[in-house]
Amino acid sequence: MTEIRDREEVSPADGTKPRTGGDPAVLVVEPLLPQRIRRPSDLLRFLATLLGLVAVVLLALVAQKTLNGLEGDVIDGTNRAPFLLSGLAGVLSGAAMLGVPTAYAIERVLHRDGLRVAEGLFAAIAGMVLSFALGEWILKAGPEDLRLLLTGGREDVEPLNTLLTSIIAYVTAVRISRRPTWRAAMWSAVALNAVALFAATAATILGIVVSILVGLAVGYAILYGIGSPNTRPPGSAVVAALAKLGFDPVKARRLDDDHQSSRRYAVGLRNGNRLDVTVLDRDRQVAGVLYRIWRRIRLNTETRRRAIRSLRAELEREALMAYAAQAAGVSTPRLVGTSEIGTEAALLAYEHIATRALDDIPDEEIDDNLLAQIWEQVLLLQVQRLAHRRLTGDSIHVDGEGRVVLMDARSGEIAAGDLLLRLDIAQLLTYLSLRVGADRAVAAAAAVAGPNTLAGALPLLQRIALTRETRAALSKDKELLTAIRERIVALEPKVEAKEVRLERFRPRTLITIIASAFAAYFLVYYLTQINLNMITSAKWGWTGVAFVAAALSYVAAALMLRGFVPEKLPLGRTVLVQFAGSFVKLVAPAAVSGVAINTRYLQKRGIPPGQAVASVGASQLIGLVSHIMLLLLFAYITGSSAASSFTPSRTLVFVLLAVAVVILVIMSVPPLRRLFTSRLRSLFSGVIPRLLDVLQTPSKILEGCTGTLLLTIAFVSCLDASIRAFGGSLDFAAVAIVFLAGNAIGSAAPTPGGLGAVEASLSLGLTLSGLPGEVATSAVLLFRLLTFWLPVLPGWASFTYLQRQEAL
């Protein structure tokens, strides 16, 4: 760290109050501020420009005919203009395009800002070289459609206008956008130049837009790459601003901090007191903006924060929260002054309190009295509807007398809603549990806040609701949230917490959407390959058989569920639940939807949640074992059908060896082994005791095993009848192998109902089994129509009916 000791007189020209009596200037100790900085805002603008460029090009390729028609209309209109007018526009645009940047450069040089002009010239050269290189690539090796859109098919037209790109890069690098008059003049010249280029048929609409976007991207890249002059006010300017507020500082020291959006100073006053000063820099307001934008998109409206806030808004927000906390009687540093420091920064001055952060206090020193004090301070905020929103170890401090002091309320909210207040409770409860354990943390919170307050925060004990630091700490103790929930439920056994959905969507939803898009493309492609004559030639008798088999599968699924639930379930309503599951498949992967809706159904029947999950897990486990055993059995039969002795095929042996190798690898790598065992434990925990309950009733076991076997036979029969409906014929064992393998792939696919994955695997399997491609594709589409698409409407009706009857 470099120390700067400035003992010269502070002149009025610096914007500070001159000292009387010839007092020396304030001693300021801080790291040497860099001459140039890379502004996150420039990087953000560069990324946004690249995204805009990609979007424009893709949109132009999609709407190629529309764009060509629009361009033809524009060219036709410009050709009708008088020759004198179009010529005058060309002369004026050329003069303006060169004159405005030149005039601005002269103005900057006269103001001794020639370095900025040099940076602009460097950007102009880079823009010219890049536009020329891109143009050559598009003409010689680029996509044909893109070349036609950028040149209009005319040989004398540049794909990217070199002059326009370089000029835009220049004016971006010199930050002409910060000068409203010059900005208006520049964009007027650009618009006039575009008209002139159209009139002379020397450019296309897309070429003009792409040239501008490339120029902007180059300009922002240069600004971020070489940096910008540092306009952050130094410590001496902070001290001068404090002097204007009436304080008498004698020394200041920059504090080490991890806050990306602020600087902090310890300022000593002549009377012996000290101020803690927070400095907000305008150019650092966008630090971490990409993460905040992601959270804003992902979370619901009430829980999200503004991604970008102006300097004035940030200053007012923190000041208002500080005053509100003081009025509520919370132990927090008193805000004694606020001020802007020029146009690039602002400060907030707090009375200094000597404290230690809770993060710096060992776990063994956190006693019950300290925990109680923390909750008392938070409850003072809650009573006044103030949400802190950052209750972590670096914002909870303890002074020399052992009293709790809350810091860093800049993220807080006044007049907060119930959800934000409950989020604070959940966050603090989780953090304290990480430090002292779930038992002590919940007990201390219940003693001060009461069990009802904790019960209200119960549904908000979700990772997504916590701060980034707390989520990172939870990765080392993944069972902590479950332990906290169990302790709260033990305090309030009759609590019925309604589920709170904080996320608009989960990351896996994006994966599902992308996979579904590919699946839809796959289906559309195969639909276009089908011969319509083949569809009309389907044998309706076999189609009816396939329909009956598909309908029978829902009865089989109901029997399967009933067999592994010791309690009595009505067959009719259980069948309706299976139909409702076919509707839920549209919005959830196949492996998830059935488990979720069956578990919900059992809970509504009065079965405790743990036993409901165990019953569904038992049926899934037996179904998995049955699936594997049938797959091996049919593969064995198929492999031995052409052999003199009943021996398995080489393919089956190879598959078994491959599976064995995969299992061996998983078990030998500790992280993979832990992941595999934890997933199995969470899926099938409690299954064995539930199976033992079922074993006491042989009729239940018979019903469950019958339903499991009948479910597989129904699906295989449906696929076999679909094949025969189009004149195909395969051995039943071969059809069974194809279905069992395709169903396994579909269950693992992230798309709703295995969409796309099932169709691809079944079509490929039937084709490899010797079925003609057209027959295989038609049979698979008929099979999926009967088992996936056709049940959607009755599934929706069943889902609605069961919800009205409170059965789901």
Side-chain angles (χ1 to χ4, degrees), residues 579-593:
F579 271 104
S582 65
F583 169 68
V584 179
K585 284 181 183 179
L586 285 178
V587 293
V592 176
S593 56

Side-chain angles (χ1 to χ4, degrees), residues 308-365:
I308 302 177
R309 188 178 289 109
S310 68
L311 179 66
R312 165 63 65 174
E314 190 72 19
L315 174 66
E316 293 175 349
R317 178 190 181 91
E318 183 169 349
L320 185 59
M321 188 64 192
Y323 289 135
Q326 293 172 20
V330 180
S331 178
T332 185
R334 189 167 70 92
L335 180 64
V336 295
T338 61
S339 173
E340 288 188 341
I341 313 175
T343 60
E344 299 296 326
L347 67 82
L348 299 100
Y350 296 89
E351 284 186 347
H352 172 69
I353 302 177
T355 61
R356 284 192 304 166
L358 194 60
D359 276 343
D360 299 330
I361 298 178
D363 294 347
E364 55 271 15
E365 294 185 20

Side-chain angles (χ1 to χ4, degrees), residues 370-455:
L370 182 59
L371 294 175
Q373 285 192 62
I374 294 173
W375 283 107
E376 288 170 358
Q377 292 297 315
V378 172
L379 285 182
L380 288 175
L381 291 175
Q382 298 261 320
V383 169
Q384 297 298 320
R385 313 294 296 182
L386 301 176
H388 189 282
R389 304 204 69 177
R390 189 174 171 77
L391 291 169
T392 57
D394 60 351
S395 62
I396 301 173
H397 287 225
V398 180
D399 65 12
E401 299 180 2
R403 293 174 299 189
V404 172
V405 180
L406 296 184
M407 303 281 195
D408 197 19
R410 73 174 55 189
S411 300
E413 297 277 358
I414 65 170
D418 289 338
L419 180 59
L420 292 182
L421 299 179
R422 292 157 64 195
L423 282 171
D424 267 1
I425 299 295
Q427 164 61 34
L428 180 59
L429 192 59
T430 305
Y431 172 76
L432 293 179
S433 297
L434 285 167
R435 298 296 306 274
V436 302
D439 289 331
R440 285 187 59 198
V442 173
V448 178
N452 290 334
T453 301
L454 300 186

Side-chain angles (χ1 to χ4, degrees), residues 55-320:
V56 165
V57 172
L58 291 178
L59 183 62
L61 291 173
V62 171
Q64 184 173 355
K65 293 183 179 179
T66 303
L67 187 62
N68 289 335
L70 177 62
E71 184 177 343
D73 294 338
V74 173
I75 293 176
D76 183 61
T78 54
N79 288 337
R80 293 182 181 181
F83 175 77
L84 181 61
L85 180 60
S86 59
L88 180 62
V91 173
L92 290 178
S93 67
M97 286 290 289
L98 296 176
V100 173
T102 302
Y104 186 76
I106 295 173
E107 190 260 353
R108 286 292 88 200
V109 171
L110 292 177
H111 284 81
R112 299 181 180 181
D113 196 11
L115 182 59
R116 181 179 299 188
V117 177
E119 294 169 1
L121 291 175
F122 180 72
I125 295 172
M128 182 177 297
V129 172
L130 180 60
S131 64
F132 177 77
L134 286 176
E136 288 298 309
W137 173 78
I138 291 170
L139 289 175
K140 296 180 179 179
E144 182 67 17
D145 290 342
L146 184 60
R147 183 184 66 81
L148 291 175
L149 285 171
L150 290 173
T151 64
R154 298 184 293 272
E155 295 182 357
D156 58 338
V157 175
E158 292 181 300
L160 276 73
N161 190 281
T162 305
L163 175 63
L164 182 58
T165 302
S166 58
I167 292 296
I168 294 296
Y170 168 83
V171 298
T172 302
V174 298
R175 296 190 184 276
I176 202 172
S177 59
R178 294 188 173 184
R179 306 285 296 277
T181 303
W182 287 101
R183 182 178 65 232
M186 189 66 243
W187 285 109
S188 298
V190 171
L192 188 61
N193 182 253
V195 173
L197 290 173
F198 279 126
T201 62
T204 64
I205 294 177
L206 184 62
I208 292 293
V209 174
V210 170
S211 298
I212 293 174
L213 290 175
V214 170
L216 289 171
V218 171
Y220 290 130
I222 295 298
L223 283 175
Y224 186 76
I226 66 177
S228 304
N230 190 357
T231 57
R232 297 171 186 167
S236 57
V238 174
V239 169
L242 289 173
K244 288 183 179 180
L245 291 174
F247 299 103
D248 194 7
V250 294
K251 61 181 178 179
R253 177 171 58 89
R254 171 84 177 272
L255 300 176
D256 295 330
D257 58 75
D258 298 325
H259 296 272
Q260 296 184 345
S261 58
S262 64
R263 291 177 284 155
R264 298 193 175 188
Y265 290 85
V267 179
L269 303 180
R270 192 172 298 278
N271 60 9
N273 294 330
R274 173 179 158 181
L275 297 177
D276 292 331
V277 179
T278 299
V279 178
L280 307 176
D281 293 305
R282 184 182 301 277
D283 63 89
R284 302 179 79 175
Q285 291 304 107
V286 296
V289 68
L290 294 179
Y291 174 76
R292 295 199 297 272
I293 289 176
W294 167 246
R295 295 275 292 184
R296 185 174 176 83
I297 294 173
R298 186 179 175 187
L299 297 182
N300 288 326
T301 304
E302 191 173 353
T303 60
R304 67 189 186 186
R305 309 175 190 179
R306 291 192 62 180
I308 302 177
R309 188 178 289 109
S310 68
L311 179 66
R312 165 63 65 174
E314 190 72 19
L315 174 66
E316 293 175 349
R317 178 190 181 91
E318 183 169 349
L320 185 59

